[in-house]
C-alpha cells in the first residue's frame, strides 16, 4: 500500500522548497486501499490551490508508487466524505481538461496583456480575420489561461464546434503511441477531422523532434485549408525556437504572433484585488501595495502569496496584515529572490564563456553541457524553482534537470576543479544577495 510519507518524500524532489513547505507539508496523506490515496487539506483555499498547481506532480508520484486515484478533501468536510473536484469533461473537448477558472471573465486585462487578450477573444468569437494565433511569454503570465479561455468560450457559446486542447508533448506522445499500436490513421483523423479549434501549448518542446514536426506541419495544413482556428503557445517566438524545420516554423508564423509582458504595478494591484475577491476576502491597501511591489513577475507567485496569506491567517487565527504578508512573501520567494534565474545564467555564461542561446540549444558538446548543468544546479539551489520550471528555461525536461543536479553533486564531491568552480560561483551569487539586502523585497513600483 502507498505510504503518505513516501509520497511526501518524492514530492520534495519535484516541487520547489518553499512550495513544498507551504503546501505539501501540512497535508495528511492516507492510503485508502485499492490504490486510492486521500489528501486531507486544512482548508478549502489550500485544497483548491494544490489541485490547480500540483495535481499533475502528485498524480505522477502516486502512480510511480503504485497508487491510482487521488481524493482531495478538506479536513472539516472529511466526515461528509465529499469529493472536492471531479474531472471536467465537457462534450466536444478532445485532449486535456480545462481549468474551470481560466475564463475571459477571470482574466485581468492591463497594458501588458491587452493585445493578447483581444486577439484571443476575437478568435474565440469566430472573427474570420483571426484564425491563427501564436502567444508567447515567460512563465506564469497567462498563456494557458488565455488559451483555455478560448476553449471555455467556444464550448459554451458555439455549440457546433469541437475543441482540442493539448500540449506539444501530448501530441508527440500520442503520435508515438499510435505508431506503436499501428493506429496512426486514427491519430491523424482525430486532429484532421475531429476538431474545429486546436490549441497546442508549449510548442518549443518540439525542438529537434523532426518526425513530430513533419506530422504536425501536415496536420496544420489540413486545419488551415479547412479554415479551422489554431492557437499556439510557447516561451519564445517561432524564430527563436532552435531546431525547428522551416516548414513548421513558417506555419507557426502564419498568423498573429503576440507576446504577453509581465504586468505593470497597476495591473498587479488589479490582479491581487481580483484574486482576493475570488477567495471572498478584501485586503487592506497596505497589504495590496506590499504584494504588488514585492511580487513583480510571475502571476502564479502572486496567487501563491494570496492563498498562502489566507491559509496562514486561518490556521494561526491571525489577521491578514502586513507582518503576515511579509512572512508569506519571504517564504514564497525567499530572501534570495532578487538573485533571479537570469542573473545566475548571466554569471554562468560569463564564467564559462558561453552564450545563453547555447545553454538553451540542444548542443551536447561538453563545453556547453557542463555549464548548462552547472546553471541548472545553481538555479535549483538559489531560487528553489521546480525541476520542471528549471528545465523549461533550458528547453529541457525534468529528468534532464535531475540528471544535471546529480552530475554536479557527484563531480563536486570527487573533483577538485568542479568543487572550486561551484564554490566560486556560489560565492559570487551570495555576494549578489548581499548587495540586494537581507530584507530582499524590491520596493519598486515600475
Ligand atoms: N491577467 C491575468 N489575470 C488573472 N490571472 C492571471 C492572469 N495572467 C495569469 N494569471 C494566472 O496566473 C497563473 C499562471 O498563468 P498561466 O498558467 O496561464 O501562465 P503560463 O504563461 O501558461 O505559464 P507557463 O509558461 O509556466 O505554463 C494562472 O493561475 C492564471 O490564472
Amino acid at each position: 500500500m502507498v505510504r503518505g510519507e513516501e509520497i511526501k518524500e518524492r514530492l520534495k524532489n519535484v516541487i520547489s522548497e518553499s512550495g513544498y513547505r507551504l503546501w505539501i507539508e501540512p497535508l495528511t496523506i492516507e492510503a485508502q486501499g485499492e490504490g486510492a490515496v486521500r489528501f486531507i487539506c486544512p482548508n478549502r483555499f489550500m485544497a483548491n490551490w494544490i489541485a490547480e498547481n500540483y495535481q499533475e506532480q502528485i498524480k505522477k508520484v502516486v502512480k510511480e508508487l503504485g497508487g491510482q486515484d487521488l481524493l482531495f478533501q478538506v479536513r472539516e468536510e472529511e466526515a461528509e466524505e465529499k469529493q472536492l473536484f471531479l474531472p471536467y469533461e465537457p462534450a466536444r473537448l478532445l485532449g486535456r481538461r480545462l481549468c474551470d477558472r481560466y475564463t475571459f471573465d477571470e482574466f485581468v486585462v492591463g497594458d501588458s496583456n491587452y493585445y493578447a487578450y483581444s486577439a484571443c477573444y476575437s478568435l474565440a468569437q469566430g472573427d474570420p480575420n483571426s484564425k491563427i494565433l501564436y502567444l508567447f511569454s515567460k512563465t506564469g503570465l497567462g498563456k494557458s489561461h488565455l488559451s483555455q479561455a478560448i476553449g471555455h468560450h467556444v464550448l459554451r457559446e458555439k455549440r457546433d464546434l469541437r475543441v482540442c486542447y493539448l500540449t506539444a508533448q501530448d501530441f508527440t506522445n500520442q503520435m508515438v503511441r499510435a505508431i506503436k499500436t499501428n493506429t496512426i490513421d486514427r491519430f491523424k483523423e482525430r486532429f484532421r477531422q475531429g476538431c474545429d479549434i486546436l490549441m497546442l501549448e508549449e510548442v518549443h518542446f518540439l525542438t529537434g523532434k523532426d518526425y513530430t514536426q513533419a506530422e504536425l506541419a501536415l496536420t496544420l495544413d489540413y486545419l488551415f485549408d479547412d479554415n479551422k482556428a489554431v492557437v499556439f503557445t510557447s516561451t519564445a517566438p517561432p524564430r527563436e525556437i532552435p531546431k525547428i524545420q522551416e516548414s513548421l516554423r513558417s506555419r507557426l508564423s502564419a498568423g498573429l504572433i503576440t507576446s504577453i509582458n509581465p504586468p505593470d504595478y497597476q495591473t498587479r494591484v488589479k490582479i491581487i484585488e481580483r484574486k482576493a475577491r475570488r477567495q471572498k476576502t478584501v485586503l487592506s491597501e497596505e497589504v495590496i501595495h506590499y504584494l504588488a511591489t514585492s511580487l513583480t513577475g510571475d502571476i502564479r507567485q502572486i496567487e501563491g502569496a494570496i492563498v498562502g496569506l489566507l491559509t496562514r491567517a486561518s490556521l494561526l487565527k491571525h489577521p491578514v496584515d502586513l507582518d503576515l504578508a511579509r512572512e508569506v512573501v519571504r517564504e514564497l520567494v525567499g530572501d534570495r529572490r532578487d538573485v533571479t534565474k537570469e542573473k545566475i545564467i548571466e554569471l554562468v555564461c560569463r564564467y564559462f564563456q558561453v552564450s545563453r542561446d547555447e545553454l538553451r540549444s540542444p548542443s551536447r558538446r561538453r563545453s556547453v553541457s557542463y555549464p548548462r548543468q552547472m546553471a541548472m544546479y545553481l538555479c535549483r539551489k538559489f531560487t528553489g524553482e521546480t525541476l520542471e520550471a528549471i528545465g523549461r528555461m533550458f528547453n529541457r525536461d525534468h529528468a534532464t534537470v535531475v540528471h544535471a543536479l546529480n552530475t554536479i553533486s557527484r563531480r563536486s564531491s570527487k573533483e577538485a576543479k568542479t568543487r572550486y568552480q561551484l564554490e566560486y560561483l556560489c560565492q559570487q551569487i551570495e555576494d549578489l544577495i548581499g548587495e540586494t539586502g537581507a530584507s530582499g523585497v524590491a520596493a519598486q513600483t515600475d
Side-chain angles (χ1 to χ4, degrees), residues 93-217:
L93 174 65
L94 187 72
R96 293 192 168 217
R97 80 177 191 102
L98 305 179
C99 172
D100 291 350
R101 64 178 181 82
Y102 284 9
T103 60
F104 286 122
D105 284 348
E106 288 285 336
F107 193 81
V108 176
V109 185
D111 286 349
S112 61
N113 57 29
Y114 175 74
Y115 199 48
Y117 172 88
S118 307
C120 290
Y121 193 71
S122 300
L123 186 141
Q125 288 277 58
D127 179 347
N129 297 318
S130 178
K131 284 285 181 191
I132 307 169
L133 184 59
Y134 187 105
L135 283 182
F136 70 95
S137 78
K138 288 189 181 153
T139 191
L141 296 184
K143 298 181 294 294
S144 299
H145 189 135
L146 277 179
S147 48
Q148 294 192 29
I150 296 175
H152 280 300
H153 188 89
V154 170
L155 288 165
R156 278 187 204 137
E157 309 287 325
K158 317 258 173 202
R159 299 263 159 203
D160 53 333
L161 298 186
R162 294 150 307 166
V163 168
C164 176
Y165 174 63
L166 75 172
T167 64
Q169 184 159 14
D170 297 336
F171 185 87
T172 310
N173 294 344
Q174 289 181 19
M175 194 187 75
V176 170
R177 212 173 309 133
I179 294 170
K180 276 192 189 149
T181 54
N182 228 353
T183 53
I184 194 75
D185 288 342
R186 211 181 313 148
F187 168 82
K188 291 180 179 182
E189 183 82 4
R190 195 180 317 146
F191 294 100
R192 295 175 186 184
Q193 314 292 342
C195 91
D196 299 297
I197 300 197
L198 171 67
M199 283 129 36
L200 189 65
E201 288 236 53
E202 300 176 6
V203 291
H204 49 272
F205 174 83
L206 297 174
T207 176
K209 297 194 166 50
D210 290 347
Y211 197 84
T212 320
Q213 290 180 21
E215 180 55 40
L216 178 61

Side-chain angles (χ1 to χ4, degrees), residues 43-299:
N43 57 45
R44 183 168 288 276
F45 304 131
M46 220 164 155
N48 286 341
W49 173 263
I50 292 166
E52 280 178 10
N53 291 277
Y54 297 125
Q55 190 159 208
E56 287 309 314
Q57 289 102 313
I58 294 178
K59 244 191 219 161
K60 208 163 149 207
V61 163
V62 167
K63 206 166 157 204
E64 279 167 13
L65 292 170
Q68 280 162 2
D69 300 326
L70 308 184
L71 187 67
F72 288 83
Q73 288 188 324
V74 175
R75 186 156 291 137
E76 309 94 67
E77 292 168 356
E78 201 182 340
E80 299 169 34
E81 287 291 312
K82 263 196 194 161
Q83 190 164 337
L84 193 59
F85 29 121
L86 298 165
Y88 178 54
E89 280 292 341
R92 300 180 288 119
L93 174 65
L94 187 72
R96 293 192 168 217
R97 80 177 191 102
L98 305 179
C99 172
D100 291 350
R101 64 178 181 82
Y102 284 9
T103 60
F104 286 122
D105 284 348
E106 288 285 336
F107 193 81
V108 176
V109 185
D111 286 349
S112 61
N113 57 29
Y114 175 74
Y115 199 48
Y117 172 88
S118 307
C120 290
Y121 193 71
S122 300
L123 186 141
Q125 288 277 58
D127 179 347
N129 297 318
S130 178
K131 284 285 181 191
I132 307 169
L133 184 59
Y134 187 105
L135 283 182
F136 70 95
S137 78
K138 288 189 181 153
T139 191
L141 296 184
K143 298 181 294 294
S144 299
H145 189 135
L146 277 179
S147 48
Q148 294 192 29
I150 296 175
H152 280 300
H153 188 89
V154 170
L155 288 165
R156 278 187 204 137
E157 309 287 325
K158 317 258 173 202
R159 299 263 159 203
D160 53 333
L161 298 186
R162 294 150 307 166
V163 168
C164 176
Y165 174 63
L166 75 172
T167 64
Q169 184 159 14
D170 297 336
F171 185 87
T172 310
N173 294 344
Q174 289 181 19
M175 194 187 75
V176 170
R177 212 173 309 133
I179 294 170
K180 276 192 189 149
T181 54
N182 228 353
T183 53
I184 194 75
D185 288 342
R186 211 181 313 148
F187 168 82
K188 291 180 179 182
E189 183 82 4
R190 195 180 317 146
F191 294 100
R192 295 175 186 184
Q193 314 292 342
C195 91
D196 299 297
I197 300 197
L198 171 67
M199 283 129 36
L200 189 65
E201 288 236 53
E202 300 176 6
V203 291
H204 49 272
F205 174 83
L206 297 174
T207 176
K209 297 194 166 50
D210 290 347
Y211 197 84
T212 320
Q213 290 180 21
E215 180 55 40
L216 178 61
L218 287 174
T219 303
L220 293 175
D221 285 345
Y222 272 85
L223 297 175
F224 294 169
D225 283 351
D226 271 358
N227 209 19
K228 307 274 161 96
V230 184
V231 180
F232 306 104
T233 73
S234 176
T235 49
R239 66 172 186 286
E240 283 178 19
I241 306 178
K243 288 217 162 185
I244 289 278
Q245 292 160 7
E246 280 317 306
S247 56
L248 179 60
R249 202 187 300 280
S250 83
R251 285 161 180 79
L252 296 177
S253 317
L256 181 68
I257 301 177
T258 180
S259 64
I260 307 177
N261 295 315
D264 55 29
Y265 175 76
Q266 283 311 332
T267 311
R268 294 200 296 273
V269 166
K270 277 203 276 175
I271 290 173
I272 292 164
E273 286 170 343
R274 173 77 63 90
K275 303 281 171 191
R277 212 166 41 240
R278 209 174 181 276
Q279 306 288 359
K280 302 187 173 35
T281 305
V282 177
L283 299 175
S284 69
E285 265 183 36
E286 186 181 48
V287 169
I288 293 174
H289 174 72
Y290 174 76
L291 294 177
T293 50
S294 313
L295 304 168
T296 53
D298 188 343
I299 295 169

